[in-house]
Amino acid sequence: MHINTIMVELLFNLVFISQMILLSWYYPRIIINRLTKVMDKYPPHEYPKLYTKPKDYYQKKITTFADLCTLAQIACLVIVLISWNLGNSPNEEMLVLICFAVQVLPIIILSIMAAKYFKKMKKVFQSSNREANLQPRRIFDFISAKLLGIAIILYVVYLLVYLYFNNFNIFLDGKVPLTLIGVTLIQLYFCMVFYWKMYGRKQNPYSVNEDRVREIKTVGKIAVYASIIMSLYLTVATIMDNFSYLDSLDPMMLSIYLQMITIFGIGAEIRMIKIEDINFDVYKNNIIKDTSVA
């Protein structure tokens, strides 16, 4: 069976362009707008506990983040052009992965800065203002049983499909057990991220119980979404690997997978944690009892 090469190239280019727009323009723009909106609506003189440094410091960081996103986009275009001039086709999995890594770098840097921000906030936080909420936390208070069930079923489906194409012989090839162990460890990582968020110490010492619960639900859903998307992708990729005429579709499928991870990762967090729903009164000078989950 033969696949139209021109059509594949066209589809890949459309998908790859959407990756560029999504990761280097759309979500960075939303993040910048959210950060700017918070600083404009909740200024230091009214919400001093929200700021561990002068406002100008954060404005410069936002500008730096915007510049990094622009540079990432330019870097991706340069990488594509260099690869193209070397005679390589843009329709390559490695090219998709390299560009994705470059695109997410500014977001990773922003995440590191956020972690340092909360660490600094904890140092100035007065523990005497905090009261623990000892309400028990159960997994299905934060994650839908139906959604979790879908994730488990799709994970099992992937295992069965993978084993089927390897004749259900785990020890036939050393690659088989390593693949199964690797995929399982990643799935366990998703579980641990949610477990840590549910039972671990909260990052923001000022967040009230309602905001804390919303954060746990968001992380829980993102973890389940990530598991579902990964299982779907691996199942499809496993099937495609056994039909050589589908090899040309691999880069496009990889780009779609990375975009879905972004949409149900960063996108889910943005959709579920809205600025207007967060209690910013805790950042005022007046003492408010915090009934946060411990």
Side-chain angles (χ1 to χ4, degrees), residues 182-196 223 226:
V183 171
T184 301
L185 287 176
I186 294 174
Q187 295 284 3
L188 289 174
Y189 169 75
F190 295 146
C191 296
M192 290 304 298
V193 168
F194 172 62
Y195 180 88
W196 173 80

Side-chain angles (χ1 to χ4, degrees), residues 13-39:
N13 288 333
L14 291 174
V15 171
F16 191 59
I17 289 171
S18 72
Q19 176 181 320
M20 291 292 180
I21 294 173
L22 191 71
L23 281 153
S24 293
W25 180 78
Y26 181 70
Y27 279 125
R29 182 174 61 88
I30 290 179
I31 292 171
I32 291 169
N33 288 341
R34 279 171 65 92
L35 293 174
T36 303
K37 181 179 179 181
V38 168
M39 288 199 302

